[in-house]
Amino acid sequence: MYDDASYYAFIPSAQPQKDQLHGSKHKRRVSLLKQPNDNVQADARQADGIANITEEPERRRDPPQATLTRRAQSYSDFYDAMTAQLGKETGICKEERYPVVDIKSELDFGTWFHTIEDDLLSVSHEEYQHYYDQLELSQSHLDSLLTKTTSTLDLLSTLSASFRAVEAQTTAFRNQCEGLLVEQERLTKLADDIGENVQYYNYLEPLTRRLNAPGAGNSVGSKGFSDMLSQLDQCLDYMQAHGSQRESQTYRARYRLLLTRGLTLIRVRFIGGLRDISADVSKRVADKQLNDTTMSALLYAKFRVGASELKEVGQEIRKRVILPPGAEADAEAEYQSLMNELYTNYSATRGRLIIPLVRKKLGEIAMAPSTSKNLVAFARNSISYIRGVCSDEFELWSDWFEDQAGLYDFLDSVCEPLYDHLRPRIIHESQLLRLCELCTLLQTRYMHDQDEEAEPVDMDQLDFGALIHPALEDAQTRLVFRSQAILRDEIENYRPRPEDLDYPARNRSVSLSGTKNNVSATTGRKGSIAEPMTPMPKTPMVVEEDLDSPSGGDRIWGFDTEAIFEGWYPTLRKAIWLLSRIYRLVNSTVFDDLAHQIVHQTTLSLHQAAPQIALKATPVDGQLFLIKHLLILKQQIVAFDIEFVTPDISFDFSGMTNTFYELRERGTLFDPRNLWRLMSGNLMPRVVENMLDAKVELDGRLRTVINEFTNTFAARMTTAVSHPATTKRAFNPNSAVTSVRGATEKEVPLLRRKLDEYLDDVRTKETLVGAVQDQVLQNYEAFYAAFVKSSRDRGKVISRKGKGREDEVWDLDTFAEWTGGVFRVGREGLRDGGTDNEDGESRSRSRSLSRSGSV
């Protein structure tokens, strides 16, 4: 049998390894991130050979000395190594167990055989025993492998669990690191933001020390001072945008005080520099008398030297004149008052230098012989001088300031001496023509034409019209006042003289003067009966005169105005002259209102004069006088574009008086219910608005007087067949018709003579003659209808065919044909016409007139 020592010598016990495994399993690690190196590496070196066994003098039965053998890496290696080792041990055992014995007797042989008998039995089972030993060895080896595998699996499980724990811890650590990185970034950003935010708070102390330090105003105008103001603006903007921060409102208020302090230093610097320049110029001007060139150099060149520097200083204030968000349109910006102080000080400084010189110069112009008595000459010279001064000041202002906020207020103060001289002269001017010339001068030379399209205003050019506009308003106001005075004194309250009402004698004198030498007043050609003797132009008549009267003799329009106005009634002449003078010189609304009043009062004055002429002459003369002058007025006002209608507003108290009268009659004046009814609206006066259109009024009055004229002549011609005459018992239709024919033949020449005395236009006269003829036919038609009805009532048949006898009643067609031959409308007016071309053309136009023509 094998010695167990060889087995334990070949295969070491697994217990130490197990203990070592347990020792390594429960070993405390320094860190989870640092894994221990517990992997058992197989020894791959060549196993040392088994030493040769030699006999020793003394045989020993103890196990052989253990040797270090190579660990099997596989079962085959293990089997080969085990077989070789067992072969070696068997040889050694045989030599030791069966030594050479010296047998001398059978007893020795029996003893020796008995000794080896068991060994022989064992040798016979040696192969089986050897296989059995191999199996046990294999089982032991496999058990050891299973134990080691189990231990390894346990170790691997432990390692896997450790790895999972490490992975979880690593993941947690990574997440924690990422969180730390995020937190680090947040803290870094927060630190940067805090640093950025804190810098707006840190500016307070150094800026406060700098602005409150002695001599802080000396740094105004430097680059550092401008940067400091920019820092203040940034700090204010930051505090405004971050109002939720705890101290933002406090710091904002303190920064605003610092900004106000800085801008105040700028104002002091600006005013101080302006004062120094002004003092130097004033001293030089007061020392000696200077000519115009030297004076201009002092007043303007000296001020331009330091203007650029102070302009940049003042620009710092202007950049901060901004309305806060949400402010009203008319609200003032925060630092506008500081900018206004710059404007005010500049204007006051320049005013102390310029205005005395302007007053002195205007006084010299006012005392000059050519302008002392003439308003227009003084206005022309003084305004030209003021315009030059304002142009120079406009250019100098642009050297000091960027905008024009206070410019025109300053220029208005420069123009005040002009207003002081010009306004009293305008107020005391009584001649309307001088006022008209002044308005024309101001409108044509200095004001923009309102009829032209509005052009964008050039900010680089002086708008002198805005400065001179008060003078124009004064002149227009005085012009309107004088026009109303003339309207009141010479039209509304006019008292006609006897020669003014001497019609138709005035018409005959005008006709004689107009046809003297048979020459027309307008064309210079020989006159004719067909053309008017006193032509009426279709444009406004503007007459230049020495006094406010339309009797002057200038012929600026190319016709004899004296001849035109000679036959007109004085109020009409004054009205047309007044309208022509103020046309386009005053506001259109004012002119329309005034023109309506003039036309209305002129129409009333003509109606007042017509009855007086009718008393002195005949009613027909009064009617023709009114027709003539109303036609002239209507023709003349067309050129003045009177468009607006004048509203006449009044209060109607009739409802209140009627209510009181009713309550008094009922005896219930003090009844509370009735008083409540009164207070509910019955006592309130009504506002009545009457629209007075002078042109409509004129047309209506002209239509009325023409109807009266035609009815008068038609009644005179048809008196015999009128309704009062036909109601008489002794009425004879045949005799009445004969009387009508006779009266018509007698009145038609008289009608034409009267029309010739008052009217010159052929078409107008023929139209009136035709209107009279139509009215005669209407009167006769009414008579004839009544005659036919009465004849039928008596059973008498009236024949409508053929022409009746001279002593009988004619039918309508026969009478109309007869009146056409008597009135000769359109032919009689051209009977005595000339033979020239124009007379022929006039004759052809008149032939085309019909009885339905209108005036």
Side-chain angles (χ1 to χ4, degrees):
M1 292 301 290
Y2 302 105
D3 192 358
D4 293 336
S6 62
Y7 170 73
Y8 290 105
F10 180 75
I11 299 175
S13 176
Q15 185 66 30
Q17 294 183 6
K18 185 175 182 181
D19 296 338
Q20 185 180 2
L21 179 61
H22 289 292
S24 62
K25 179 178 180 181
H26 297 284
K27 184 179 180 180
R28 181 180 298 273
R29 295 174 179 83
V30 179
S31 175
L32 292 174
L33 297 178
K34 184 177 180 181
Q35 298 297 328
N37 188 10
D38 292 337
N39 295 330
V40 178
Q41 300 290 337
D43 189 2
R45 294 178 298 172
Q46 181 70 29
D48 296 337
I50 302 176
N52 295 324
I53 303 174
T54 59
E55 294 183 358
E56 297 181 359
E58 295 180 359
R59 298 289 183 181
R60 300 179 62 182
R61 298 294 293 173
D62 56 349
Q65 186 178 359
T67 59
L68 181 61
T69 59
R70 182 175 61 88
R71 183 179 180 180
Q73 295 183 357
S74 63
Y75 178 76
S76 61
D77 293 338
F78 170 76
Y79 178 78
D80 294 338
M82 198 66 187
T83 304
Q85 182 66 24
L86 291 176
K88 292 179 181 181
E89 291 179 354
T90 302
I92 296 172
C93 289
K94 286 181 177 181
E95 293 177 358
E96 293 180 353
R97 296 176 64 182
Y98 304 109
V100 179
V101 179
D102 187 10
I103 302 174
K104 294 180 177 182
S105 64
E106 289 180 2
L107 182 60
D108 293 336
F109 175 79
T111 304
W112 173 79
F113 180 79
H114 180 72
T115 305
I116 68 173
E117 184 178 6
D118 295 331
D119 294 334
L120 290 175
L121 183 60
S122 298
V123 169
S124 63
H125 295 89
E126 182 178 6
E127 183 177 357
Y128 299 102
Q129 185 67 35
H130 179 66
Y131 184 73
Y132 177 76
D133 293 337
Q134 288 182 354
L135 290 178
E136 287 183 349
L137 181 62
S138 296
Q139 182 181 3
S140 176
H141 179 66
L142 292 177
D143 292 339
S144 176
L145 288 179
L146 288 175
T147 303
K148 291 182 179 180
T149 302
T150 302
S151 177
T152 303
L153 289 176
D154 294 339
L155 178 60
L156 291 177
S157 299
T158 304
L159 291 177
S160 178
S162 299
F163 286 149
R164 286 194 296 270
V166 170
E167 182 181 6
Q169 293 178 5
T170 304
T171 303
F173 181 73
R174 184 186 64 185
N175 295 334
Q176 185 178 6
C177 291
E178 291 178 355
L180 292 176
L181 289 175
V182 173
E183 183 68 15
Q184 180 184 5
E185 292 179 357
R186 186 186 69 82
L187 293 177
T188 303
K189 185 177 182 301
L190 179 61
D192 294 339
D193 293 341
I194 291 175
E196 182 180 355
N197 295 336
V198 167
Q199 68 176 348
Y200 294 105
Y201 292 89
N202 293 334
Y203 286 143
L204 180 62
E205 294 301 329
L207 293 179
T208 302
R209 289 194 301 269
R210 184 174 179 180
L211 288 174
N212 293 327
N218 297 330
S219 62
V220 174
S222 63
K223 183 67 169 57
F225 191 84
S226 179
D227 294 340
M228 180 182 62
L229 294 180
S230 299
Q231 290 179 357
L232 284 173
D233 292 335
Q234 294 175 5
C235 293
L236 285 172
D237 294 340
Y238 176 82
M239 299 303 168
Q240 178 70 23
H242 299 80
S244 60
Q245 295 181 3
R246 179 178 300 177
E247 299 294 334
S248 61
Q249 299 301 326
T250 303
Y251 275 79
R252 181 187 176 196
R254 298 183 65 180
Y255 279 131
R256 191 168 298 280
L257 290 177
L258 292 178
L259 182 59
T260 304
R261 170 66 176 167
L263 298 182
T264 304
L265 292 177
I266 292 177
R267 182 200 63 183
V268 174
R269 174 71 178 85
F270 186 93
I271 296 175
L274 186 62
R275 187 188 305 112
D276 295 340
I277 298 175
S278 175
D280 187 17
V281 173
S282 300
K283 182 178 179 181
R284 295 189 181 186
V285 171
D287 287 344
K288 52 185 177 180
Q289 298 293 331
L290 303 176
N291 55 24
D292 294 341
T293 304
T294 307
M295 184 69 70
S296 176
L298 284 176
L299 292 178
Y300 295 100
K302 186 69 174 176
F303 269 82
R304 286 190 174 93
V305 174
S308 59
E309 178 184 357
L310 295 179
K311 181 179 180 180
E312 293 180 359
V313 171
Q315 188 69 14
E316 295 293 337
I317 299 179
R318 182 179 177 274
K319 289 189 298 185
R320 291 161 180 84
V321 180
I322 302 174
L323 284 174
E328 298 180 357
D330 56 347
E332 187 179 74
E334 184 174 1
Y335 295 107
Q336 184 64 47
S337 59
L338 292 176
M339 201 67 196
N340 292 338
E341 290 186 22
L342 301 187
Y343 297 148
T344 303
N345 281 275
Y346 177 84
S347 301
T349 301
R350 291 296 301 175
R352 286 192 296 269
L353 296 174
I354 297 298
I355 293 178
L357 300 178
V358 172
R359 290 187 183 277
K360 180 180 178 181
K361 183 64 177 179
L362 291 179
E364 294 175 357
I365 296 176
M367 296 301 295
S370 60
T371 58
S372 60
K373 300 295 183 181
N374 192 332
L375 173 63
V376 179
F378 171 77
R380 184 181 296 109
N381 295 338
S382 60
I383 292 176
S384 298
Y385 169 73
I386 289 294
R387 186 176 187 178
V389 173
C390 291
S391 299
D392 295 337
E393 292 299 324
F394 179 84
E395 295 177 359
L396 184 61
W397 183 280
S398 62
D399 294 335
W400 280 81
F401 300 102
E402 191 70 26
D403 57 352
Q404 301 177 0
L407 172 61
Y408 285 93
D409 293 336
F410 165 62
L411 295 181
D412 285 337
S413 64
V414 175
C415 295
E416 281 298 329
L418 172 65
Y419 302 148
D420 295 341
H421 283 274
L422 192 59
R423 188 174 289 115
R425 288 173 176 258
I426 293 176
I427 293 175
H428 291 88
E429 182 61 53
S430 59
Q431 295 186 15
L432 188 70
L433 291 179
R434 296 283 175 80
L435 296 173
C436 293
E437 290 178 7
L438 178 59
C439 293
T440 303
L441 172 68
L442 297 178
Q443 287 181 340
T444 55
R445 294 190 61 179
Y446 306 112
M447 304 299 295
H448 298 289
D449 192 357
Q450 298 180 356
D451 295 336
E452 297 180 356
E453 295 183 358
E455 298 180 355
V457 179
D458 188 2
M459 301 303 296
D460 296 332
Q461 298 294 329
L462 174 65
D463 186 9
F464 188 70
L467 300 175
I468 207 65
H469 191 263
L472 177 62
E473 289 181 345
D474 293 340
Q476 289 176 336
T477 302
R478 180 61 179 171
L479 178 62
V480 172
F481 178 78
R482 287 298 306 155
S483 300
Q484 291 176 341
I486 294 174
L487 172 63
R488 182 184 63 253
D489 298 337
E490 302 189 27
I491 296 179
E492 183 178 357
N493 298 328
Y494 179 74
R495 296 294 180 266
R497 297 171 297 180
E499 56 270 21
D500 295 335
L501 302 175
D502 190 12
Y503 286 92
R506 286 175 58 85
N507 294 330
R508 289 192 290 269
S509 62
V510 172
S511 300
L512 292 175
S513 62
T515 56
K516 186 177 181 180
N517 297 327
N518 203 22
V519 178
S520 173
T522 57
T523 62
R525 297 190 301 269
K526 291 184 179 181
S528 64
I529 299 176
E531 66 180 352
M533 299 176 186
T534 56
M536 293 178 290
K538 298 183 182 299
T539 57
M541 300 177 184
V542 181
V543 184
E544 300 292 342
E545 305 164 355
D546 292 336
L547 300 175
D548 293 348
S549 174
S551 60
D554 280 346
R555 281 81 172 173
I556 64 173
W557 292 103
F559 53 84
D560 189 357
T561 55
E562 180 67 22
I564 294 173
F565 289 132
E566 184 65 28
W568 293 5
Y569 190 67
T571 57
L572 176 62
R573 180 168 53 190
K574 179 63 69 174
I576 300 302
W577 174 84
L578 185 59
L579 289 174
S580 65
R581 295 310 308 173
I582 66 174
Y583 183 58
R584 293 188 181 278
L585 295 183
V586 296
N587 184 270
S588 60
T589 304
V590 177
F591 174 79
D592 291 335
D593 183 70
L594 188 58
H596 279 286
Q597 296 181 20
I598 294 174
V599 173
H600 175 69
Q601 295 298 332
T602 304
T603 305
L604 292 181
S605 67
L606 293 176
H607 275 273
Q608 293 173 0
Q612 301 180 38
I613 295 174
L615 291 176
K616 295 183 63 176
T618 62
V620 174
D621 290 314
Q623 294 169 353
L624 287 175
F625 163 82
L626 197 56
I627 291 174
K628 171 186 176 180
H629 286 80
L630 291 179
L631 286 173
I632 295 173
L633 181 60
K634 179 179 179 179
Q635 184 182 16
Q636 291 298 313
I637 65 175
V638 171
F640 296 109
D641 300 331
I642 305 176
E643 297 179 355
F644 297 93
V645 178
T646 304
D648 183 17
I649 300 175
S650 59
F651 293 96
D652 183 11
F653 294 91
S654 60
M656 182 177 64
T657 56
N658 293 336
T659 303
F660 269 113
Y661 180 77
E662 179 183 356
L663 294 178
R664 189 185 65 179
E665 291 293 328
R666 294 180 179 179
T668 58
L669 181 61
F670 298 100
D671 190 350
R673 290 175 298 177
N674 293 328
L675 293 176
W676 177 256
R677 186 166 62 89
L678 289 175
M679 298 303 297
S680 63
N682 292 336
L683 284 178
M684 300 301 295
R686 294 184 298 108
V687 179
V688 180
E689 184 174 357
N690 299 320
M691 307 304 290
L692 302 177
D693 191 341
K695 293 191 293 185
V696 175
E697 179 188 11
L698 177 60
D699 292 338
R701 291 181 180 274
L702 181 60
R703 190 180 302 108
T704 300
V705 69
I706 290 177
N707 291 334
E708 292 177 355
F709 173 77
T710 55
N711 291 334
T712 298
F713 265 95
R716 291 166 59 177
M717 296 178 186
T718 59
T719 303
V721 294
S722 62
H723 180 71
T726 56
T727 57
K728 295 180 180 180
R729 293 183 179 180
F731 175 73
N732 186 354
N734 296 334
S735 300
V737 172
T738 302
S739 300
V740 168
R741 294 200 300 269
T744 302
E745 292 175 348
K746 179 181 177 181
E747 292 294 335
V748 169
L750 178 62
L751 170 64
R752 290 191 172 275
R753 283 197 302 271
K754 284 294 183 180
L755 292 176
D756 291 338
E757 290 178 355
Y758 285 90
L759 302 176
D760 297 324
D761 186 66
V762 176
R763 289 189 297 177
T764 303
K765 292 187 290 186
E766 294 302 316
T767 301
L768 291 175
V769 172
V772 173
Q773 180 183 359
D774 290 341
Q775 188 62 39
V776 169
L777 290 176
Q778 290 178 8
N779 294 343
Y780 187 82
E781 182 179 2
F783 157 73
Y784 187 74
F787 172 73
V788 171
K789 181 180 180 182
S790 62
S791 297
R792 288 178 179 175
D793 293 341
R794 294 194 303 267
K796 184 177 181 181
V797 179
I798 303 298
S799 177
R800 294 179 178 274
K801 296 181 180 180
K803 183 178 181 180
R805 299 198 310 268
E806 292 291 336
D807 57 347
E808 290 182 350
V809 177
W810 290 351
D811 59 4
L812 291 177
D813 295 336
T814 303
F815 188 77
E817 182 181 358
W818 178 82
T819 55
V822 174
F823 281 93
R824 299 178 61 84
V825 177
R827 299 192 298 272
E828 183 66 23
L830 302 175
R831 181 179 56 185
D832 298 329
T835 59
D836 57 351
N837 293 334
E838 292 188 0
D839 293 342
E841 294 176 0
S842 178
R843 184 184 302 110
S844 64
R845 289 193 302 268
S846 298
R847 286 197 189 101
S848 64
L849 295 176
S850 64
R851 291 178 295 177
S852 61
S854 60
V855 178

